């Protein structure tokens, strides 16, 4: 009988594992980019590195983006700063309430914005003439959308509105248009009195009484013709001239505006080398209107508005003249350099899309503006001659 041997024991069950899925095939170059891409926190940077590494983007993409940005910039600029469609020259929108009609009530309220040179005129006249107790104030700030707005730190002291346009809209009949500063509001009648800066300044001169003004008259009858002549020279070439440079939408428009601006500054430098103020020894509204542009010149206009031929500090007489006015009582308190910087570099998106603010020039520091100006010794002996020369030259232009 054959020998029988039992069958071998069954094999113990194996502990099988599911094999991992195969790695997708990636080209070596793509795989090498994955680590910096994964580490990047900026999706746009990650995408650009993934597509073309550290090389420049393809020329077609550059041209497409450039065309798109230029078109968007033009659209924004047409709304922010309307221009002549044929020349590209900036054309300022007229004020909706350019003149004071009738006699306002005794209850008035002034709306201003600290970055704005036009509002600064009214704020400065109010301070120089001591009208703070007669004319309450609300300070608007540029909002994210560019509109004048109010915040908990800078509220609408009259109605508690969020936007200045809401105050305008509270007038009888409502309002459509640009809600600009300065704006003088009649509280009793719930009406806009005026939003043209030079007219508001003249009106405030009429409000000032002898005690409040302490003898200062910025709009004296005997000098009004001279003040008007200087204003007719300063406004288009300097006050509005810097905006014509900054908002020009063609090279030709910019060249024309810059030429007029610096030609006017050269003439003002010559005049003020022999006269303490524009109309002689007396500070007037003409000086107020010039000062609010000059105090912003090196701070914002030189760089942001491309007014680059010369800085204000390179004009010895104009710079000393600016320091002379800055050092008068109450004037420095109306010059908020931080608000001016933020209002221009932060709010004017088409001119500064990144919102980066440059360093404040040394010439605009408070210490520099308080340096002695040495203009006390100047007499008005040359003022009459220079004024006649201005009139003759202006009439020939």
């Amino acid at each position: 009988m054959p020998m029988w041997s039992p069958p071998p024991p069954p094999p113990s069950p194996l502990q099988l594992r599911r094999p991992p899925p195969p790695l997708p095939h990636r080209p070596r170059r793509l795989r090498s980019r994955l680590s910096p891409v994964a580490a990047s926190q900026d999706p746009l940077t990650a995408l650009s590195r993934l597509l073309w590494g550290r090389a420049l983007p393809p020329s077609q993409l550059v041209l497409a983006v450039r065309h798109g940005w230029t078109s968007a910039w033009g659209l924004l600029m047409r709304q922010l700063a309307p221009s002549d469609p044929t020349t590209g020259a900036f054309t300022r929108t007229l004020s909706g309430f350019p003149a004071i009609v009738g006699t306002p009530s005794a209850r008035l309220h002034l709306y201003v914005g600290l970055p704005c040179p036009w509002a600064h005129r009214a704020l400065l006249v109010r301070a120089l003439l001591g009208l703070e107790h007669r004319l309450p104030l609300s300070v608007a700030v540029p909002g994210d959308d560019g509109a004048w707005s109010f915040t908990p730190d800078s509220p609408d002291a009259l109605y508690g509105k969020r936007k200045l346009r809401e105050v305008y809209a509270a007038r009888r009949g409502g309002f459509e248009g640009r809600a600009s500063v300065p704006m003088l509001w009649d509280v009793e009648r719930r009406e806009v009195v005026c939003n043209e800066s030079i007219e508001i300044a003249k009106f405030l001169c009429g409000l000032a009484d002898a005690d409040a003004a302490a003898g200062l008259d910025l709009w004296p009858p005997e000098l009004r013709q001279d003040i008007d002549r200087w204003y007719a020279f300063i406004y288009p070439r300097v006050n509005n001239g810097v905006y014509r440079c900054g908002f020009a939408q063609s090279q030709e428009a910019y060249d024309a505006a810059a030429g007029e601006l610096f030609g006017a500054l050269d003439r003002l430098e010559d005049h003020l080398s022999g006269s303490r103020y524009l109309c002689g020894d007396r500070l007037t509204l003409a000086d107020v209107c010039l000062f609010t542009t000059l105090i912003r010149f090196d701070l914002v206009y030189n760089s942001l508005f491309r007014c680059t031929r010369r800085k204000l500090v390179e004009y010895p007489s104009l710079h000393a003249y600016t320091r002379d006015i800055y050092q008068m009582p109450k004037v420095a308190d109306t010059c908020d350099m931080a608000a001016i910087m933020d209002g221009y570099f932060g709010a004017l998106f088409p001119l500064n899309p990144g919102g980066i603010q440059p360093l404040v020039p040394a010439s605009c520091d408070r210490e520099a503006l308080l340096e002695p100006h040495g203009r006390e010794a100047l007499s008005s002996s040359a003022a009459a001659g220079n004024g006649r020369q201005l009139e003759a030259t202006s009439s020939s232009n």
Side-chain angles (χ1 to χ4, degrees), residues 70-294:
T70 302
S71 300
W73 177 83
L75 178 63
L76 287 172
M77 287 293 287
R78 281 192 290 274
Q79 292 298 114
L80 173 69
S83 64
D84 186 319
T86 59
T87 65
F90 169 60
T91 54
R92 182 169 292 280
T93 304
L94 298 177
S95 300
F97 303 89
I100 297 175
V101 180
T103 303
S105 72
R107 294 186 61 202
L108 300 173
H109 195 90
L110 181 62
Y111 287 92
V112 300
L114 298 181
C116 176
W118 319 105
H120 195 180
R121 294 175 175 182
L123 187 64
L124 188 52
V125 170
R126 174 180 178 267
L128 287 170
L129 298 182
L131 294 173
E132 296 92 340
H133 66 292
R134 295 185 58 179
L135 186 59
L137 183 75
S138 290
V139 179
V141 299
D144 292 337
D145 59 353
W148 292 107
S149 308
F150 300 102
T151 67
D153 294 331
S154 189
D156 172 17
L158 190 60
Y159 299 121
K161 302 290 188 182
R162 296 177 59 251
K163 300 281 187 178
L164 182 61
R165 70 168 68 98
E166 297 174 15
V167 181
Y168 272 85
R171 62 182 294 271
R172 296 172 183 173
F175 175 75
E176 292 184 2
R178 294 195 176 198
S180 62
V181 291
M183 189 266 278
L184 189 63
W185 178 262
D186 191 321
V187 180
E188 185 174 315
R189 298 176 181 176
R190 295 179 67 88
E191 182 61 82
V192 177
V193 177
C194 184
N195 64 353
E196 176 57 53
S197 62
I198 188 64
E199 296 303 320
I200 293 176
K202 291 177 180 179
F203 176 78
L204 297 186
C205 289
L207 282 185
D209 53 47
D211 293 336
L216 180 62
D217 189 351
L218 298 173
W219 181 232
E222 66 274 18
L223 291 178
R224 288 182 182 179
Q225 287 188 347
D226 289 338
I227 294 171
D228 286 341
R229 278 196 296 267
W230 276 114
Y231 187 69
F233 175 77
I234 291 167
Y235 171 77
R237 298 168 176 85
V238 181
N239 297 146
N240 199 44
V242 294
Y243 283 86
R244 290 169 58 211
C245 290
F247 292 153
Q249 297 185 42
S250 73
Q251 187 66 51
E252 294 76 15
Y254 167 78
D255 290 342
E260 290 184 23
L261 168 65
F262 285 100
L265 292 177
D266 290 342
R267 292 176 59 189
L268 289 166
E269 171 72 10
D270 180 65
H271 175 74
L272 292 169
S273 66
S275 179
R276 185 170 184 181
Y277 304 114
L278 291 176
C279 295
D281 284 341
R282 298 177 64 177
L283 184 79
T284 67
L285 280 184
D287 300 294
V288 169
C289 293
L290 180 57
F291 172 81
T292 58
T293 296
L294 296 184

